[in-house]
Amino acid sequence: MLLAGLFIAMLFGALDGTIVGTAMPRIVGELGGLGLMAWLTTSYMLTSTVIVPIAGKLSDLVGRKIVYVSGLLIFMVGSALCGIAQGMNELIIYRAFQGIGGGIMMPLAFIIVGDMFQGAQRAKWQGIFGSLYGVASIIGPQAGGWIVDSWNWRWVFYINLPVGIVATFLIALGLPKHRKAGKVIFDIPGIITMVVGVVGILLALTFGGKDYAWNSWQIIGILFISTMALIAFVWIENKAVEPILPISLFKSKIFTVTNLIGFLVSIGMFGAMMFVPLFMQGIVGVSASASGTIMMPMTVTMIIASIISGLFIHKTGVRVQMTAGLILMAAGFIFLSVMGMNTTKLAASLYSLIIGIGLGLIMPSLTLVLQESFPDSELGVVTSSSTFFRQIGGTFGMTILGAVMNQRSGQYLIDHLYPVLDQLPKDAEPLKYQIISEINNDPQSLFSALLSPEAIGKLPNLMTDKMVPIMKASLVDSLHLVFICSVGFILLGLILVPYMGKIQISTQVKSKNKVQQVH
């Protein structure tokens, strides 16, 4: 009963992001606020990321049941509020509230699976539950499109309510009630300083290089406040009776190295998730749906590899499996870095498939290593730390790799496109200065024309004949560097694997009494 509830809750929590992403154009069409559209994702990301370590620690203090059920209720209330939103600002606030519930649900599922099983059984179920993210990325866009076309975008949120009620009922019945003996002490100063520090960094990474220059007073000010808050957080955590994220954990080689590998892999992973579709649409000229099909093998193989890795990791060993996964990911990105204008869809799919196998071998292992290496009393905080550092890594990945692409493509366009712009007639000078501005400030926005045949068709012949080839060459050159940088992050993770130490995967099975005690 409990596993069924966890499965349902986790699948729909993972589906939410992909379904909402599909519905965004329709939402903006009805509510307006195109300039605020990105905040529908950003607000959810901010709250769901920052709540993860808090939820993990609270589950250790007051029990899994009350924290998980609370997260489900918050997610459902947030979904209902999103469904009745009458304006974009209102919807963004409700998405942030919904993100708190989502941020509680995701790590708690893995924590409870860790409570229920250990060793080989734990590895098997962590692999199965980890594969749900891949399942969500496959069926989410189709489900979102069907819901929007058949009903309206509000049902993208309303659909969470009946499913959430079923999941809550099953989990509430199946999960034993237990809380830590004695007085519960909440680390309020630690929570406040961590929230300020992490939210500040995420906001700086979101706005930096796009809305504000990296050296602007806004970004520098946010980073300064975040740094001061995180310094205060470390000082507070060293003195707290029940710290949200015990600094002493970082003295453990396994804890530090494992989370650092997860952070680096998440940075590199976004090289495939973000930029392979851009390459195929902008260079090869396939449609958005076709580029999604190209990425499908990566998702499918990731699902299969996650399940298989969970079944056999106690035989192969953690370090062997992680090493193999990292080598496969690095190889996949190396293949991506040599793609050109004549690359076929089949070749791109094959390269993505290799990356998917690597990801499937790595991701479940990260959580398993921490759960096998720490006592049950710290299971919540160490499991949530794995999710937390991977989410932070993903945000860093979007920012770092996006900045690499902007810098490289901007320089290429300055060297090769400026001479062409100087040949434009005088009546085209407004367009010329607009393009120069985009090259200097945000080259990625210039590439949007490559993704739209209609936009290219409206350009003058001189620009179509001379500018488009240069823009494509610039995109190829900059994406090659992005993929090489992804290889670098993956290889850094590979170098760290031997420093994890030897991890033993137990073959014992937890008794029912033991499960009730840890809850």
Side-chain angles (χ1 to χ4, degrees), residues 172 193 202 273 419:
T193 50
L202 294 175
M273 303 294 282

Side-chain angles (χ1 to χ4, degrees), residues 138-456:
I138 292 175
I139 66 177
Q142 285 76 20
W146 180 80
I147 290 171
V148 169
D149 292 339
S150 302
W151 300 324
N152 62 59
W153 66 263
R154 297 183 186 276
W155 278 97
V156 166
F157 299 105
Y158 290 148
I159 196 70
N160 291 326
L161 300 180
V163 178
I165 290 170
V166 172
T168 304
F169 177 77
L170 293 172
I171 291 169
L173 287 181
L175 192 58
K177 186 177 181 180
H178 181 79
R179 62 176 294 168
K180 188 174 181 180
K183 184 180 179 182
V184 176
I185 301 174
F186 295 105
D187 180 19
I188 302 299
I191 291 174
I192 294 172
T193 50
M194 190 203 72
V195 168
V196 172
V198 173
V199 169
I201 288 176
L202 294 175
L203 286 174
L205 292 173
T206 301
F207 292 134
K210 297 173 186 175
D211 300 272
Y212 303 99
W214 284 109
N215 60 354
S216 66
W217 69 266
Q218 291 93 340
I219 300 300
I220 292 174
I222 291 174
L223 289 175
F224 176 78
I225 293 171
S226 300
T227 303
M228 292 298 102
L230 291 176
I231 291 173
F233 172 72
V234 172
W235 183 82
I236 289 168
E237 296 303 275
N238 275 321
K239 297 180 178 297
V241 177
E242 290 287 356
I244 290 296
L245 183 61
I247 304 302
S248 60
L249 288 175
F250 290 94
K251 296 177 183 178
S252 165
K253 187 166 61 174
I254 291 176
F255 180 87
T256 303
V257 173
T258 300
N259 280 324
L260 187 54
I261 291 173
F263 177 82
L264 292 168
V265 168
S266 294
I267 293 178
M269 181 176 68
F270 274 84
M273 303 294 282
M274 287 177 59
F275 295 108
V276 172
L278 176 61
F279 190 101
M280 298 309 297
Q281 292 178 54
I283 304 303
V284 181
V286 303
S287 65
S289 59
S291 69
T293 304
I294 290 167
M295 297 297 290
M296 189 77 74
M298 184 181 87
T299 306
V300 172
T301 52
M302 183 178 71
I303 294 170
I304 296 170
S306 293
I307 296 172
I308 293 175
S309 70
L311 292 172
F312 294 103
I313 193 169
H314 65 287
K315 295 180 180 179
T316 60
V318 171
R319 288 191 295 178
V320 170
Q321 197 157 283
M322 290 191 69
T323 299
L326 288 162
I327 289 173
L328 285 170
M329 281 192 72
F333 278 114
I334 289 172
F335 286 131
L336 290 178
S337 70
V338 297
M339 290 196 304
M341 296 188 186
N342 298 318
T343 297
T344 64
K345 292 186 283 186
L346 179 61
S349 295
L350 179 62
Y351 305 154
S352 299
L353 179 149
I354 296 170
I355 294 173
I357 296 173
L359 278 171
L361 293 175
I362 296 166
M363 287 307 185
S365 305
L366 296 171
T367 303
L368 180 67
V369 165
L370 295 173
Q371 292 185 339
E372 288 289 297
S373 305
F374 289 88
D376 290 334
S377 61
E378 295 181 321
L379 200 64
V381 72
V382 297
T383 303
S384 62
S385 73
S386 179
T387 304
F388 177 69
F389 284 110
R390 277 183 276 173
Q391 288 186 210
I392 295 288
T395 307
F396 269 82
M398 287 188 286
T399 302
I400 293 170
L401 297 176
V404 167
M405 178 184 165
N406 264 349
Q407 194 280 330
R408 182 67 168 233
S409 60
Q411 188 58 52
Y412 190 101
L413 291 171
I414 288 172
D415 295 339
H416 296 85
L417 194 57
Y418 271 26
V420 175
L421 293 175
D422 289 337
Q423 299 174 23
L424 292 176
K426 283 194 173 183
D427 58 355
E429 283 195 350
L431 179 61
K432 170 185 173 181
Y433 291 124
Q434 179 187 344
I435 293 173
I436 290 175
S437 174
E438 289 181 350
I439 291 173
N440 292 325
N441 297 313
D442 187 15
Q444 286 191 43
S445 65
L446 196 60
F447 296 131
S448 61
L450 297 178
L451 308 179
S452 171
E454 295 81 9
I456 293 178

